[in-house]
Amino acid sequence: MDSVLPIKNLVRLNWLLVVAFTAISSVYFVFLLEDLPIHKIFYTVMTGLGIGLVGFANVGILILLERRYNTETKRFKTYRLLYTYAASAVIYIGLSPIFDYISKKSELYPFFVFPSIFVVSSVVVNTVIVIFHDFIILHSDKARAGLELSKLKTANAEATNLLLKQQIHPHFLFNALNTLKALYRKDPYAGDTYIVHLANFLRASVYNHAAKVSSLAEEVALLSDYLEMQKIRFGVALDCTIDLPKEILKDHYLPSFSLQPLLENAIKHNDLTQEAPLVVHIFCLEERIVVYNNLQKKSVNVSSAYHGLANLAERYSLLSGDEIIIKEDKNTFSVSIKLLTNEYSDHRR
């Protein structure tokens, strides 16, 4: 991964190092060094100046090298060390005459020893700065990698959610068109009514295609169109009641296209006759939407084609981490899903 250098953080670190080392050196010079007060102040200033110049030289070298090399390459790392140590040596050797002019310390050492002290000091100072800079760069890279991983996970979840939603529509549309064809043969008026509800349903599907969640009101409206279509198809063999309080419709949310597949699932897997109608009750219980029906399973197994409950369960898990609750006994079957609150409203678009 090509790292983007955290220049602002490195600059802040440099100022922090200047202040810290200046404070530490001032304590040393004031309390432990026997010299003139003006010299102690001068030594403190020179310490801060040296740290600052080397630190900002390091940042400048990093910027120049980043423009030419990938920061993860061996060449970048090698050149960085060579140039920063050379620059720090030049800076300290350049400061040595100023230091000597005030302190006259070179008189205490042979000719080559005094400059050598500054070269060694430059190596120590640059090593400390490189270590601190590496820590900041490593921390920045780790944070950036975590952010990119989070974005990838989000993008993957959104893509998976969209794919799962797309699996619903072809199955539904195939059944709807077959029903519409049969209706126009027997009852054109019923066919006209059916196609109005089908158009409403498809319009909502297109409008909410990219939305991960919908308001409960939108889900109920979508479900109502689907329900009217099924009532035209099955008549009194389908008895469905939607009993949801109005106050929860607009400020609560569900994964998009979640109620309709639950009703579709009940219709698909149960026998519906005038003598033994399928009774479905949709209501709210303890912040959950419950879709409850009497159980009269079809004698022939129906393939789910990976939509319906499994589809909804996976989308719900991707979105909120919650699970749908399925209960089945000898005579009844129910599915309940937790209502989502306003914190999920940002996922609508």
Side-chain angles (χ1 to χ4, degrees):
M1 181 181 65
D2 189 8
S3 161
V4 178
L5 293 174
I7 301 301
K8 290 183 179 180
N9 288 340
L10 292 175
V11 170
R12 292 190 188 102
L13 175 65
N14 284 345
W15 286 116
L16 181 63
L17 290 176
V18 169
V19 172
F21 277 92
T22 300
I24 294 171
S25 63
S26 67
V27 173
Y28 169 78
F29 293 136
V30 169
F31 293 101
L32 299 180
L33 191 66
E34 294 182 359
D35 215 324
L36 296 175
I38 188 64
H39 285 177
K40 294 180 180 181
I41 295 174
F42 174 71
Y43 299 154
T44 301
V45 172
M46 290 294 291
T47 299
L49 180 62
I51 294 287
L53 290 175
V54 173
F56 287 106
N58 269 259
V59 173
I61 290 169
L62 285 172
I63 293 173
L64 292 175
L65 289 176
E66 186 190 31
R67 293 174 180 174
R68 188 168 182 180
Y69 305 107
N70 186 312
T71 57
E72 295 298 319
T73 61
K74 185 176 181 181
R75 181 173 293 183
F76 175 90
K77 296 175 181 179
T78 301
Y79 285 163
R80 176 201 174 190
L81 293 178
L82 288 175
Y83 292 158
T84 56
Y85 277 105
S88 63
V90 169
I91 290 170
Y92 267 73
I93 291 174
L95 292 176
S96 63
I98 302 174
F99 185 88
D100 185 47
Y101 178 78
I102 301 297
S103 65
K104 306 297 183 183
K105 293 291 185 181
S106 63
E107 299 173 357
L108 304 176
Y109 303 99
F111 176 71
F112 289 105
V113 173
F114 186 73
S116 299
I117 293 175
F118 279 82
V119 172
V120 172
S121 298
S122 73
V123 171
V124 174
V125 169
N126 194 67
T127 300
V128 171
I129 289 175
V130 166
I131 291 173
F132 275 101
H133 282 186
D134 280 345
F135 175 79
I136 294 298
I137 294 171
L138 180 62
H139 179 75
S140 176
D141 287 347
K142 184 177 179 181
R144 189 177 297 105
L147 180 60
E148 290 181 357
L149 179 60
S150 177
K151 289 180 178 179
L152 286 174
K153 287 182 177 179
T154 301
N156 180 67
E158 290 177 349
T160 304
N161 181 69
L162 185 58
L163 177 62
L164 290 168
K165 283 170 60 178
Q166 288 172 339
Q167 292 171 348
I168 297 173
H169 304 310
H171 169 79
F172 163 77
L173 192 57
F174 177 78
N175 287 340
L177 292 176
N178 280 338
T179 301
L180 187 59
K181 180 180 178 181
L183 282 173
Y184 270 114
R185 287 179 178 176
K186 295 189 297 184
D187 186 351
Y189 177 78
D192 287 341
T193 305
Y194 187 93
I195 204 169
V196 169
H197 292 294
L198 176 59
N200 290 338
F201 184 90
L202 293 178
R203 186 183 300 111
S205 299
V206 172
Y207 180 74
N208 292 319
H209 179 67
K212 290 191 285 185
V213 303
S214 300
S215 69
L216 182 56
E218 292 170 333
E219 281 295 297
V220 170
L222 194 72
L223 176 66
S224 297
D225 279 312
Y226 177 79
L227 176 58
E228 292 303 317
M229 293 162 58
Q230 302 312 309
K231 284 183 176 179
I232 294 173
R233 180 182 175 190
F234 294 106
V236 295
L238 175 61
D239 180 9
C240 180
T241 304
I242 302 175
D243 184 17
L244 297 173
K246 291 183 179 180
E247 57 269 19
I248 70 168
L249 293 180
K250 292 188 176 180
D251 59 355
H252 287 79
Y253 299 85
L254 288 176
S256 296
F257 304 102
S258 55
L259 287 184
Q260 178 267 332
L262 293 180
L263 179 56
E264 182 181 18
N265 182 76
I267 293 172
K268 182 178 179 181
H269 292 282
N270 290 278
D271 287 319
L272 294 82
T273 63
Q274 294 183 8
E275 295 75 19
L278 176 66
V279 180
V280 183
H281 187 199
I282 301 172
F283 58 96
C284 180
L285 179 65
E286 296 178 352
E287 295 297 312
R288 300 184 74 89
I289 298 296
V290 182
V291 179
Y292 174 95
N293 63 271
N294 60 327
L295 195 60
Q296 38 197 35
K297 286 186 178 181
K298 291 182 177 179
S299 56
V300 179
N301 289 333
V302 181
S303 174
S304 65
Y306 196 64
H307 60 270
L309 294 183
N311 183 299
L312 176 60
E314 187 165 353
R315 288 196 293 126
Y316 205 89
S317 177
L318 284 170
L319 180 62
S320 67
D322 291 308
E323 296 181 352
I324 66 175
I325 298 175
I326 301 174
K327 294 182 180 180
E328 180 179 346
D329 57 31
K330 185 177 180 180
N331 300 312
T332 63
F333 181 88
S334 69
V335 181
S336 71
I337 54 178
K338 186 177 180 181
L339 284 168
L340 305 176
T341 54
N342 284 326
E343 63 182 293
Y344 291 92
S345 61
D346 291 340
H347 295 288
R348 295 184 67 186
R349 295 289 178 268

